[in-house]
């Protein structure tokens, strides 16, 4: 009897999960959105290709449908979702459907319209000067005025989104290593782990390498390798710290502690955060490694 109840519970739980994910009458379910608001989906293709890209675009349009004053972040997201959709449907439009030829034509129509709509939205937002749109104009059009505006906005404390701070840190990585360090560490303190990009670990590692903080360079690189499961040369890693295997073992512990702190949302109060800070003078209490002092900003 207990086994039957347990099986029923699994079935009910699985069914509930399916409803929560896909929705029977969920207002954000794309079938419901398109049925109730056909104008949102009129320019999109009908079949199952590019479903993830189409879903994000539809939901973004739905969220902004009655919003007369969208934020720069919302517009940036809609632009990037439209870019992703356009790239995907471009590939799909080249796939010939032998039986249902109308589907091929429908995808080609959707690609044509998506490029037109992307161009229109880019034109409509070209005068926006908030941080997200400054970033978009810089990265998409090579607009140096937008870049200078974004850097000025960051210096004035107007950039608060971790994603944007990380992009600015990347810009500074080969120009001002200390500035890059400060920005990356601010990102680590504020980012949600679900949004964390392991490449930022390499960006910060590169910035520390420029200031000859090789222990931190090693640790951050190792954290990236642990997260991405990439193959690497142990000899090249050890060369960063003079081949010191005892030190490497302790720094490997630091790397795992960093990952755990990021995952748990406890980075800001973790010992490894104190060690990584540009003004750091003490190593994490869990080890006896003596970290080097970075250059003062």
């Amino acid at each position: 009897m207990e086994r039957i109840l347990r099986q029923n519970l699994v079935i009910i739980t699985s069914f509930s999960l399916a409803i929560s994910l896909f929705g029977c009458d969920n207002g954000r379910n794309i079938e419901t959105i398109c049925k109730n608001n056909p104008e949102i989906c009129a320019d999109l293709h009908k079949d199952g290709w590019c479903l993830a890209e189409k879903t994000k675009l539809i939901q973004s349009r739905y969220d902004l449908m009655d919003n007369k004053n969208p934020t720069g972040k919302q517009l940036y997201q809609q632009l990037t979702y439209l870019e992703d959709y356009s790239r995907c449907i471009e590939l799909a439009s080249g796939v010939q459907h032998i039986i249902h030829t109308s589907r091929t034509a429908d995808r080609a129509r959707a690609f044509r319209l998506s490029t037109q709509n992307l161009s229109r939205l880019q034109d409509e937002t070209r005068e926006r000067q908030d941080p997200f749109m400054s970033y978009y104009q810089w990265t998409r059009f090579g607009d140096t005025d937008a870049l200078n505006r974004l850097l000025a906005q960051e210096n004035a404390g107007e950039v608060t989104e971790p994603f944007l701070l990380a992009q600015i840190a990347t810009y500074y990585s080969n120009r001002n290593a200390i500035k890059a360090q400060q920005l990356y560490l601010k990102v680590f303190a504020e980012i949600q782990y679900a949004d964390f990009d392991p490449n930022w670990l390499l960006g910060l590692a590169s910035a520390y390498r420029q200031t000859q903080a090789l222990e931190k360079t090693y640790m951050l690189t190792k954290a990236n390798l642990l997260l991405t499961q990439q193959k690497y040369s142990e000899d090249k890693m050890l060369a960063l710290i003079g081949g010191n295997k005892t030190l490497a073992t302790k720094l490997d512990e630091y790397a795992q502690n960093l990952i755990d702190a990021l995952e748990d949302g406890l980075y800001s109060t973790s010992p490894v955060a104190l060690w990584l800070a540009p003004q750091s003078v003490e190593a994490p209490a869990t080890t006896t490694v003596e970290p080097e002092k970075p250059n003062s900003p």
Side-chain angles (χ1 to χ4, degrees), residues 148-161:
N148 291 330
R149 183 168 61 246
L150 177 63
L151 298 180
Q153 289 166 334
E154 187 280 321
N155 283 327
E158 298 172 9
V159 180
T160 58
E161 285 282 346

Side-chain angles (χ1 to χ4, degrees), residues 12-218:
I12 292 171
T13 302
S14 299
F15 180 68
S16 299
L17 178 61
I19 291 177
S20 67
L21 288 175
F22 302 107
C24 287
D25 58 351
N26 187 342
R28 287 180 58 81
N29 177 279
I30 63 170
E31 291 185 4
T32 302
I33 291 174
C34 291
K35 179 180 178 181
N36 295 336
N37 309 276
E39 70 281 4
I40 289 180
C41 311
D43 60 322
L44 307 179
H45 70 293
K46 304 298 190 295
D47 64 21
W49 283 81
C50 305
L51 182 59
E53 292 81 3
K54 183 166 70 171
T55 297
K56 287 182 179 179
L57 179 57
I58 290 173
Q59 291 178 340
S60 174
R61 287 177 170 180
Y62 178 70
D63 289 341
L64 295 181
M65 186 171 59
D66 297 321
N67 187 343
K68 296 182 179 180
N69 296 296
T71 65
K73 182 177 181 179
Q74 289 172 323
L75 290 171
Y76 173 82
Q77 288 176 330
Q78 185 156 151
L79 281 161
T80 54
Y81 292 156
L82 186 50
E83 288 175 343
D84 292 342
Y85 174 79
S86 186
R87 278 192 295 268
C88 184
I89 202 63
E90 178 182 15
L91 294 174
S93 65
V95 178
Q96 300 297 317
H97 203 294
I98 298 175
I99 299 176
H100 302 288
T101 56
S102 61
R103 296 183 184 179
T104 302
D106 183 51
R107 292 195 293 267
R109 177 194 68 90
F111 170 61
R112 184 180 68 257
L113 291 175
S114 70
T115 58
Q116 293 173 359
N117 288 332
L118 177 59
S119 180
R120 176 185 55 77
L121 188 55
Q122 287 174 337
D123 288 341
E124 289 176 356
T125 58
R126 198 64 183 264
E127 299 304 316
R128 293 278 301 228
Q129 297 189 358
D130 52 83
F132 265 100
M133 294 312 302
S134 295
Y135 173 71
Y136 185 86
Q137 292 154 16
W138 165 44
T139 56
R140 298 315 192 272
F141 309 123
D143 188 337
T144 55
D145 288 340
L147 167 61
N148 291 330
R149 183 168 61 246
L150 177 63
L151 298 180
Q153 289 166 334
E154 187 280 321
N155 283 327
E158 298 172 9
V159 180
T160 58
E161 285 282 346
F163 169 78
L164 285 183
L165 291 172
Q167 309 315 308
I168 299 171
T170 301
Y171 169 81
Y172 279 119
S173 61
N174 294 321
R175 296 172 174 85
N176 185 333
I178 296 298
K179 177 75 170 181
Q181 291 169 21
Q182 294 170 338
L183 289 172
Y184 274 124
L185 292 173
K186 188 174 183 180
V187 171
F188 287 13
E190 298 178 4
I191 196 73
Q192 296 292 316
Y193 185 69
D195 299 322
F196 185 79
D197 185 345
N199 286 325
W200 296 339
L201 293 165
L202 296 180
L204 182 54
S206 175
Y208 276 125
R209 188 165 190 170
Q210 292 177 56
T211 57
Q212 297 301 305
L214 298 182
E215 293 174 16
K216 294 176 181 179
T217 301
Y218 174 99

